[in-house]
Amino acid sequence: MDARRTAVSITYNKKKVTRALSPYIESVSYKDAASGKSDELSIELNNQDLRFSNNWKPVKGSTISSKITLKEWKKENVNEAFNTGKMVVDDLSASYPPSTFTIKAVSAPVKSEFKSTKRKKTYKNSTIQAIGKKIAKRAGIKLYYDAKKIKIKKIEQSDQTDADFLFSICEEYGLGMKVYNGKIILYDEEKYEKKATIATIYRTEKNAGCGKTSKDIGGVKEWEWNTTMQGTYT
């Protein structure tokens, strides 16, 4: 069996740029947030000739998406692909040495008002789904709702952004919230936690037991763990 490996394809402003970027890609990382935070994509590029600081420099606010393909992770000749969805470039950075350029993108709605504009608004005799639809419409995207109908007699959005307000409602009623591929997704966290395991990743290759079940995807060659007090308060 060949070694497990990963391939990445990238689309920038609806144009496929994988072939052009491939010689310069140093690393690609993707963070799939469960609830309350945006998904994050980071692409580190070799910038030795400074092309990404000049003619090839990306523009903040541009759209970017990627497809990550896991090759032969479960078993020989079996590949699995994951689409990170449409994301928005929000952070660009360059460093030296070595000369690198990093593109960071988040799964935020197209309209920045979703996270930046504070509103004062009262909702009466509504539901979480209906409120979510109104907020999604203001953000210029769609709502995907997967939970039971929850009625709300009256609730006030008081100097809160749409993102903060909707997430506070979800927290209060046990719902999860994330933005993925041009949609605001609201879902029943308890219901999703009871779903069957999709795959198992083992802490070490030695104990991987790769191939025992269809849900085995083996172990990892390298990992790290971190804990921090940053952002913690009493």
Side-chain angles (χ1 to χ4, degrees), residues 8-228:
V8 179
S9 61
I10 299 170
T11 301
Y12 177 79
N13 282 343
K14 298 183 179 180
K15 293 182 179 180
K16 295 181 179 180
V17 295
T18 306
R19 184 175 296 180
L21 290 184
S22 289
Y24 308 98
I25 293 177
E26 297 286 346
S27 67
V28 176
S29 65
Y30 175 70
K31 183 184 290 185
D32 184 5
S35 176
K37 294 183 179 180
S38 296
D39 295 345
E40 299 175 6
L41 175 69
S42 179
I43 304 171
E44 185 180 9
L45 303 161
N46 185 310
N47 195 35
Q48 195 68 36
D49 59 6
L50 300 180
R51 69 177 57 211
F52 296 104
S53 299
N54 296 298
N55 295 339
W56 285 27
K57 184 178 180 180
V59 178
K60 285 193 289 185
S62 300
T63 59
I64 191 169
S65 62
S66 66
K67 183 171 72 174
I68 301 172
T69 302
L70 304 178
K71 296 188 174 183
E72 303 191 67
W73 276 58
K74 284 187 177 180
K75 56 184 178 180
E76 195 171 3
N77 298 322
V78 175
N79 299 333
E80 291 186 308
F82 173 75
N83 193 331
T84 62
K86 184 172 70 175
M87 310 184 86
V88 179
V89 175
D90 81 325
D91 187 285
L92 303 172
S93 62
S95 63
Y96 175 86
S99 187
T100 60
F101 191 93
T102 302
I103 303 170
K104 292 184 179 180
V106 295
S107 59
V110 175
K111 294 183 179 180
S112 61
E113 290 88 344
F114 180 69
K115 285 189 172 183
S116 62
T117 301
K118 294 183 178 181
R119 303 178 188 275
K120 289 184 178 180
K121 189 172 178 63
T122 300
Y123 298 87
K124 295 181 179 179
N125 299 318
S126 189
T127 64
I128 292 180
Q129 185 175 9
I131 294 171
K133 279 186 177 180
K134 290 180 180 179
I135 289 175
K137 186 176 181 180
R138 284 200 292 263
I141 58 178
K142 295 181 179 180
L143 177 79
Y144 177 82
Y145 187 85
D146 188 11
K148 65 182 180 180
K149 184 177 181 180
I150 301 175
K151 295 181 180 180
I152 294 181
K153 189 173 182 179
K154 181 180 178 182
I155 191 167
E156 293 185 4
Q157 181 176 354
S158 179
D159 285 326
Q160 293 172 287
T161 65
D162 283 345
D164 289 340
F165 173 64
L166 188 56
F167 182 59
S168 69
I169 296 176
C170 289
E171 279 194 312
E172 183 175 350
Y173 288 91
L175 302 184
M177 169 186 155
K178 69 177 294 178
V179 177
Y180 173 74
N181 203 23
K183 296 184 182 70
I184 296 176
I185 299 171
L186 306 184
Y187 61 96
D188 186 326
E189 286 189 312
E190 185 177 355
K191 173 183 172 182
Y192 274 62
E193 285 172 0
K194 291 179 179 178
K195 287 180 178 286
T197 300
I198 293 176
T200 301
I201 302 174
Y202 293 88
R203 183 171 57 86
T204 64
E205 285 191 296
K206 182 179 178 181
N207 299 322
C210 188
K212 285 184 178 179
T213 73
S214 61
K215 293 179 180 178
D216 266 341
I217 62 173
V220 296
K221 290 184 177 180
E222 182 178 319
W223 60 275
E224 64 180 36
W225 181 85
N226 172 259
T227 184
T228 178

